Amino acid sequence: MDVDGTRPDPDSLLRSMKRAEVREKRGHLKIFFGMCAGVGKTYEMLRTAREALIRGTDVVVGYVETHGRTETEALLQGLETVPRRVVVYRGVTMEEMDLDAILARKPSLVLVDELAHTNAPESRHTKRYLDVLELLDNGIDVCTTLNVQHIESRADAVAQIAGIVVRETVPDSIFERADEVEVIDLPPDELLTRLTEGKVYSAERSERAQRHFFRRGNLTALRQMALRLAAERVDAQMREFLAAERIGGPWKTGQRLLVGITPGRDSVQLARWTKRLATMLRASWIAVFVERSPSMPPDQREQFARNIELARELGAEIITTADQDVAAALVRVAREQNATTIIVGRSPRLAFWRKNIVAGIMAQSRDVDVYVVGGDPAAHSRPLSPLAGLTRRSPVHHYGIAAAIVALLATACYPLAPHIGYQTVALVFLLAVTILPLRLGVGPVILASTLSALFWDYFFIPPRFTFAIALPQDMLMIAAYFTIAVVTGVLTVRVRTRERSVHAREHRASALYSLTHDLSSALDQNNVVHAAAGHIRKYLDADATFFLSDLDGDFVPVPHQGSAFFPDTKEVAVASWVHWNEKRAGKFTDTLSSADATYYPLSGPRYTLGAVGIRTVSGERLTLDQEILLENFLRQIATALDREFLNEMAKKSIALAESERLYTTLFNSISHEIRTPITALLGSAEALSDDTISGNPGLRRELVTEILHASERLDRTVQNLLAVTRLEAGRVGVDADWLDLRDVVNAAASELGDSLHEHPFVIDIAPAVPLIKADFTLLQVALSNLLRNAMQHTPAGTRVSVSARISGDQIVVTVEDEGPGFDSSVLARAFEKFVRGANSGTGGIGLGLTIARGFIEAHHGSLQVDNRPDGGARCVVRLPAGPAPRQAEGAPDEQ
């Protein structure tokens, strides 16, 4: 809230608005959460689904694993199940959830068991939780199951407890973003009984599980971990509810400590004491700084930064607020954060004019407990009065300005005093003292009030030029004047301080919203880094350098190209240390403090996403407000980077799956195309070596012909592969010369040999078609591939034709057939490598059209394919027509 507590905190409002906007667009996620397998998560999920089905909800089963449990399988009866997708990978058949089928079906609720499951290699996403996120993004509600050992942050603890390394994990963010978590709890003894009865695993597997993972101590520890994790989530939800509904806390459902942090050395002991108490109570705790003025002396700023850093290292959540009443601010924050106990330090010296903070907290806390902690008197901060420190914060020249203004007014009013009266002069002085706080601090204002009272008494109140006051009413008047001047000046300064604090908070909220907006529209990592560096420069007046990890979480010792500055090798070493230790280091810290910048880790839910170095333009450390804003920035940046990392991982998995598919297709196609002619060659050669063949000339000729055809087929396959390699390497050279298109067509047709005899073949080249400047060999190969494609995909006896016409400045060559035409699923991908239609016959590896288009485009032409309206395929080649050379004028029009 703002300083007077009447308006909601803009940061909280922004977060609430973002959460509400996201909830409206995405589906509802419910997690059935347990300590381990066998507690009944899947059973409870199915029971809940059947209840939803009765209520009329459109429920489908995306993936449920019953493990052969009879009672669980019974609950599946009557629920619509989306057939699983069968994946064959390296000879192993696997079944996975069919994500595309569910998206096409678009139910209201889908059941997805085993959230942490790793998908088969050819799946769109590597992890099942990514499938779930896609379903949620499409507005589909999801019920799923999850064990505590599969949460990323708990995997190491589980490995230490049970001695089992968990490979399949989900980020903590998935658990945190769940709309509902239902804990399925079962006492360890009851679970062991179920295990013994064979209700969890088979008898042999149950016995092995009891010897290793399912021991009573392990189950008790896992149960505690699961319940505590769920309790922490509920506590966070309750605090969000209290903040959203503006309900005054605390609700003492658990222990939560709050301690006030000041720039004094006593805060060090106070923070350590609070940490010890929080550890004993197993409670969370927050450190609160109440800002009374936006500025702070350099010595206090350094000590305060150390205090905040210590509290952060001890595990505190840092909160700042602005208020002149420290006690009221601490109590207000305690209620907002549902803190049950406030920890304060006892100051040994309390001035008579200073409000006792402890007494103020006690008077306002009511149902909030208060602990008053003593300590070393030498470590206590000097008590602050309502005016303490304010005079020190004003520059020296401000005092001179205040004195000069009072002196100028006294000089100006002195000759006018006999005409306007000395009472009016007091009003002029009071007006000046009221205006001065708009530009000056409390110290100069108090000086101006004092000087104006003295000047008024000495120069204007009778008897003049003395400090004596003759009339009692004048004595009362000067006392009232001085009091009004001081109070008005101080109150004006306080209002200005509050105004600056409110503006600073609104500025921070605006900056955070602006960054979040730009990060949400970022398309890749480069956009994220550029947006982050720009906002850090704009709002923090600092330059940033980014070191991002690779997809495996390893540190990459090269600054991102979007960084504002590029550090040397020494700085890179600091960034590397920050990345691997996930702690801040560098300038203004106690670790590697000789660095030129301060480095912060970019922590992700799975691993560290990188490190960012911050170097202020002024060379000074960031203020507390800037530190808090930077922390919020880094959280948003890390979230955006993690999103892009997941996108890159998804793309990589898709690319790997596509590569695997292409590899399989290529291997099968090429092995068939090469193995078939080689088999024919070997068989014919072996037959020729038989002495009985020499006496049979007819059979001998037939075998030689078979060897010739097999050799041609093998040569053609190799030539096609080499041609594709040349095309992809960009090494197709065109040796152009003037040639007759009829010669090219005839050469292409003759290359097909006997296969042409099975089809009526028609050549229709218009007499007006001129000579064309092209590479004879490349054009012949292109046309022969088009013709061979038509022959292979057309039934025997159907017509195949080649026609050529002149159209404007282009020569249009059309190859048509009367076969089934291109399959609709292949037509859009006809020019991709190794693409073969569903009705493709034997032979060919799907390179003919790819090579034809590549060679034609090398002539600055184009190739298009489609289906004829009356049936059959059509390939249209367009080549540029140039002016024919003079020596070719007598060339015959027909062949």
Side-chain angles (χ1 to χ4, degrees):
M1 296 184 180
D2 70 348
V3 289
D4 59 3
T6 59
R7 292 194 307 142
D9 183 358
D11 296 344
S12 300
L13 278 179
L14 180 61
R15 289 192 295 269
S16 300
M17 291 171 60
K18 286 178 59 181
R19 284 194 296 266
E21 182 180 357
V22 171
R23 288 195 186 103
E24 290 178 0
K25 295 181 179 179
R26 67 180 179 90
H28 182 96
L29 175 62
K30 180 174 182 177
I31 297 177
F32 292 86
F33 186 62
M35 61 181 177
C36 63
V39 297
K41 301 182 299 300
T42 304
Y43 182 90
E44 188 64 27
M45 180 177 68
L46 290 172
R47 193 186 63 79
T48 302
R50 296 186 70 87
E51 293 177 355
L53 186 65
I54 294 174
R55 293 194 300 268
T57 305
D58 183 14
V59 182
V60 301
V61 176
Y63 187 98
V64 168
E65 189 62 61
T66 63
H67 296 287
R69 300 163 190 161
T70 306
E71 63 273 17
T72 305
E73 291 177 346
L75 289 176
L76 271 175
Q77 303 299 322
L79 293 176
E80 178 185 349
T81 301
V82 177
R84 298 181 183 181
R85 181 172 55 89
V86 178
V87 179
V88 179
Y89 180 71
R90 296 184 178 179
V92 179
T93 302
M94 293 172 282
E95 292 184 346
E96 295 291 353
M97 182 178 71
D98 195 336
L99 177 60
D100 291 326
I102 297 174
L103 292 174
R105 170 68 171 75
K106 200 170 179 59
S108 298
L109 173 64
V110 61
L111 308 183
V112 182
D113 208 359
E114 299 179 355
L115 182 63
H117 172 75
T118 300
N119 291 330
E122 293 187 358
S123 303
R124 176 155 71 243
H125 300 302
T126 56
K127 295 285 189 177
R128 184 168 290 166
Y129 74 83
L130 297 174
D131 295 337
V132 169
L133 291 179
E134 186 169 346
L135 291 172
L136 295 172
D137 290 339
N138 282 272
I140 300 174
D141 296 341
V142 177
C143 285
T144 187
T145 61
L146 181 67
N147 293 328
V148 67
Q149 67 263 30
H150 295 299
I151 294 182
E152 180 70 35
S153 63
R154 300 305 193 268
D156 292 340
V158 172
Q160 181 182 6
I161 293 170
I164 297 175
V165 178
V166 181
R167 302 295 183 186
E168 294 183 325
T169 59
V170 300
D172 289 50
S173 58
I174 303 299
F175 185 79
E176 293 167 359
R177 72 175 290 180
D179 301 280
E180 185 178 354
V181 174
E182 182 173 338
V183 180
I184 310 301
D185 185 38
L186 199 65
D189 291 339
E190 188 173 340
L191 177 59
L192 291 174
T193 301
R194 284 174 50 84
L195 190 67
T196 304
E197 294 173 351
K199 294 182 178 180
V200 179
Y201 299 126
S202 62
E204 180 182 354
R205 191 178 176 189
S206 296
E207 183 180 354
R208 186 170 60 253
Q210 283 183 291
R211 288 198 307 266
H212 297 88
F213 186 82
F214 282 80
R215 295 197 297 266
R216 182 175 283 101
N218 292 353
L219 297 179
T220 302
L222 292 174
R223 186 187 188 194
Q224 181 186 21
M225 190 182 300
L227 294 176
R228 181 172 295 279
L229 189 62
E232 290 174 358
R233 185 179 184 278
V234 172
D235 184 61
Q237 288 179 328
M238 184 181 65
R239 293 199 303 272
E240 290 181 5
F241 173 77
L242 293 177
E245 300 297 329
R246 303 192 69 184
I247 299 175
W251 288 1
K252 295 187 177 181
T253 56
Q255 291 293 331
R256 185 165 167 84
L257 310 182
L258 180 149
V259 62
I261 297 294
T262 69
R265 295 192 307 274
D266 54 329
S267 291
V268 174
Q269 292 183 343
L270 203 58
R272 291 171 177 165
W273 193 93
T274 306
K275 170 61 178 177
R276 291 194 297 270
L277 181 62
T279 302
M280 288 189 294
L281 297 176
R282 297 182 179 271
S284 60
W285 63 294
I286 54 179
V288 179
F289 169 62
V290 181
E291 185 182 38
R292 303 178 65 188
S293 174
S295 58
M296 189 181 295
D299 57 338
Q300 290 190 8
R301 190 185 304 127
E302 291 294 329
Q303 181 62 45
F304 179 67
R306 288 193 289 269
N307 295 347
I308 290 293
E309 183 64 24
L310 174 64
R312 186 181 288 112
E313 290 179 355
L314 293 176
E317 176 186 349
I318 307 300
I319 294 178
T320 62
T321 186
D323 204 324
Q324 294 298 317
D325 189 342
V326 176
L330 291 177
V331 173
R332 185 185 71 243
V333 174
R335 298 186 186 283
E336 292 174 358
Q337 298 296 321
N338 200 44
T340 58
T341 305
I342 298 177
I343 313 296
V344 293
R346 181 179 60 212
S347 176
R349 294 179 295 173
L350 293 175
F352 71 93
W353 36 258
R354 180 176 183 251
K355 183 178 180 180
N356 191 326
I357 295 178
V358 176
I361 294 175
M362 297 289 291
Q364 302 177 57
S365 61
R366 298 195 302 274
D367 49 356
V368 180
D369 299 333
V370 180
Y371 282 9
V372 181
V373 181
D376 184 6
H380 282 286
S381 303
R382 186 166 49 190
L384 298 177
S385 72
L387 307 179
L390 294 176
T391 53
R392 295 197 305 266
R393 297 188 184 102
S394 297
V396 176
H397 68 276
H398 282 190
Y399 292 91
I401 293 173
I405 290 175
V406 173
L408 288 175
L409 285 176
T411 303
C413 292
Y414 184 78
L416 301 176
H419 307 287
I420 62 177
Y422 66 89
Q423 295 88 351
T424 306
V425 174
L427 295 177
V428 174
F429 280 134
L430 186 60
L431 176 63
V433 173
T434 305
I435 295 176
L436 284 178
L438 299 179
R439 292 293 181 184
L440 305 180
V442 170
V445 169
I446 294 178
L447 176 63
S449 302
T450 304
L451 290 178
S452 61
L454 294 175
F455 281 12
W456 184 43
D457 181 14
Y458 189 80
F459 292 105
F460 299 98
I461 297 178
R464 297 165 63 181
F465 306 114
T466 66
F467 289 107
I469 300 176
L471 300 177
Q473 58 266 32
D474 288 341
M475 296 181 63
L476 292 175
M477 193 172 181
I478 194 169
Y481 166 80
F482 181 76
T483 303
I484 293 173
V486 171
V487 171
T488 302
V490 171
L491 291 179
T492 305
V493 171
R494 285 189 176 182
V495 170
R496 286 180 53 227
T497 302
R498 295 187 179 190
E499 180 185 9
R500 286 197 297 268
S501 299
V502 171
H503 286 170
R505 295 173 67 84
E506 291 179 351
H507 174 77
R508 186 165 68 245
S510 175
L512 187 59
Y513 174 80
S514 178
L515 175 67
T516 305
H517 178 270
D518 288 351
L519 292 180
S520 63
S521 59
L523 301 178
D524 52 28
Q525 285 187 8
N526 293 333
N527 295 138
V528 171
V529 173
H530 280 93
H535 282 77
I536 290 175
R537 176 71 187 204
K538 178 179 179 181
Y539 292 105
L540 299 177
D541 197 24
D543 294 327
T545 182
F546 289 84
F547 293 87
L548 304 184
S549 62
D550 57 20
L551 294 181
D552 296 326
D554 294 329
F555 179 75
V556 178
V558 178
H560 191 276
Q561 59 182 2
S563 301
F565 71 96
F566 298 88
D568 56 20
T569 307
K570 181 186 72 173
E571 300 286 305
V572 173
V574 179
S576 176
W577 188 92
V578 169
H579 174 273
W580 292 115
N581 292 274
E582 289 195 72
K583 294 181 180 179
R584 190 176 66 166
K587 193 174 184 180
F588 305 122
T589 69
D590 296 330
T591 305
L592 303 173
S593 57
S594 61
D596 295 332
T598 308
Y599 290 85
Y600 300 81
L602 291 171
S603 300
R606 290 166 291 116
Y607 49 73
T608 306
L609 303 174
V612 55
I614 304 297
R615 186 177 66 187
T616 59
V617 176
S618 63
E620 298 181 355
R621 74 182 307 152
L622 298 174
T623 64
L624 177 63
D625 277 346
Q626 290 177 323
E627 285 276 4
I628 294 174
L629 181 59
L630 177 61
E631 288 181 5
N632 291 327
F633 272 14
L634 295 181
R635 279 194 290 268
Q636 296 299 324
I637 294 168
T639 301
L641 287 174
D642 186 59
R643 179 193 68 207
E644 297 305 324
F645 271 101
L646 291 177
N647 289 339
E648 288 296 324
M649 292 174 65
K651 292 177 182 177
K652 185 177 180 181
S653 64
I654 294 173
L656 289 174
E658 182 65 17
S659 175
E660 185 71 20
R661 186 187 67 81
L662 287 176
Y663 168 79
T664 304
T665 303
L666 174 62
F667 181 80
N668 293 337
S669 299
I670 293 180
S671 62
H672 177 269
E673 282 300 303
I674 293 179
R675 186 170 58 248
T676 300
I678 288 178
T679 302
L681 287 171
L682 291 174
S684 300
E686 184 179 355
L688 283 174
S689 63
D690 191 345
D691 295 337
T692 59
I693 298 298
S694 58
N696 190 342
L699 181 57
R700 189 168 180 271
R701 282 194 301 271
E702 184 179 341
L703 291 174
V704 171
T705 302
E706 181 66 23
I707 290 175
L708 178 62
H709 289 168
S711 300
E712 289 176 347
R713 181 174 179 179
L714 182 60
D715 179 69
R716 185 167 60 250
T717 300
V718 174
Q719 291 298 329
N720 282 339
L721 292 173
L722 292 176
V724 169
T725 303
R726 291 169 59 197
L727 286 171
E728 292 184 342
R731 296 181 179 179
V732 176
V734 178
D735 185 11
D737 197 3
W738 292 102
L739 51 89
D740 193 331
L741 189 59
R742 298 166 184 80
D743 296 336
V744 180
V745 174
N746 288 329
S750 63
E751 186 179 334
L752 297 179
D754 295 338
S755 59
L756 273 178
H757 300 159
E758 300 177 0
H759 301 271
F761 183 56
V762 179
I763 299 177
D764 181 17
I765 299 179
V769 174
L771 297 180
I772 182 173
K773 192 169 186 179
D775 187 309
F776 189 96
T777 303
L778 296 183
L779 200 56
Q780 175 192 342
V781 172
L783 290 177
S784 64
N785 275 301
L786 296 180
L787 290 172
R788 183 176 290 105
N789 189 73
M791 301 296 181
Q792 289 179 346
H793 299 85
T794 305
T798 57
R799 186 175 67 93
V800 175
S801 65
V802 177
S803 61
R805 297 288 185 272
I806 185 73
S807 176
D809 59 349
Q810 291 182 328
I811 297 176
V812 180
V813 182
T814 306
V815 178
E816 297 178 307
D817 62 57
E818 297 177 351
F822 290 99
D823 186 77
S824 58
S825 62
V826 175
L827 188 58
R829 304 169 52 237
F831 296 112
E832 295 182 14
K833 298 188 297 295
F834 310 114
V835 171
R836 304 175 70 223
N839 57 353
S840 299
T842 59
I845 55 177
L847 293 177
L849 292 179
T850 304
I851 296 170
R853 186 177 68 166
F855 285 177
I856 289 169
E857 289 180 348
H859 288 84
H860 306 289
S862 64
L863 172 60
Q864 295 177 327
V865 297
D866 60 359
N867 290 322
R868 299 171 61 223
D870 52 350
R874 176 169 53 199
C875 301
V876 180
V877 178
R878 300 180 185 274
L879 295 168
R886 294 179 181 177
Q887 60 269 29
E889 291 178 357
D893 292 336
E894 297 183 1
Q895 194 162 310

